[in-house]
Amino acid sequence: MSDTQLTVTLDGGGIDDARAIVRALEGVFGAPDGRPSDEGATVRTATFGSPGTPQAADAPARAADGTLSAPVTVTVQGTPQAVEAASETLSRAFTARNDGVASGDQERERQLLLVP
């Protein structure tokens, strides 16, 4: 595949938590289509697109202070390679629990619970 696209849906936590999660993924996928900005939203979405296959980071930095303010359910959806890279990156950057995976022919979806 020539393009990798990853959609990330964030449910829970505050705007700073959402921004920290997106920053953790930027090291692997580059800048998203936009950064979370709606303070009042309960669900936030970011889409990453980059050429080629994502490269897993060796040891991504933790969020600015190392924790989130509240639990955040993160759903990552895209190519199997993109979903695996995102899951590994988030699991290194935050305390994460894998809450399930669904696979299709060319796409995968995984849900993670990131906790403070």
Side-chain angles (χ1 to χ4, degrees):
M1 289 184 191
S2 60
D3 286 324
T4 297
Q5 185 163 338
L6 180 77
T7 302
V8 180
T9 305
L10 309 164
D11 184 8
I15 189 70
D16 291 334
D17 297 326
R19 289 176 179 156
I21 293 165
V22 168
R23 273 193 310 272
L25 292 169
E26 285 178 337
V28 176
F29 295 96
D33 59 352
R35 288 177 175 69
S37 61
D38 186 353
E39 300 263 347
T42 56
V43 175
R44 297 171 177 92
T45 303
T47 302
F48 295 86
S50 62
T53 302
Q55 301 297 315
D58 290 331
R62 286 196 163 264
D65 64 359
T67 61
L68 299 171
S69 67
V72 179
T73 299
V74 179
T75 304
V76 290
Q77 180 180 5
T79 63
Q81 300 88 349
V83 169
E84 287 305 312
S87 298
E88 289 174 18
T89 299
L90 293 174
S91 293
R92 286 188 196 125
F94 304 97
T95 302
R97 180 181 80 200
N98 185 352
D99 276 354
V101 65
S103 295
D105 286 344
Q106 298 178 18
E107 199 169 76
R108 182 173 292 162
E109 179 177 297
R110 175 168 286 151
Q111 190 169 59
L112 300 167
L113 178 64
L114 307 182
V115 294

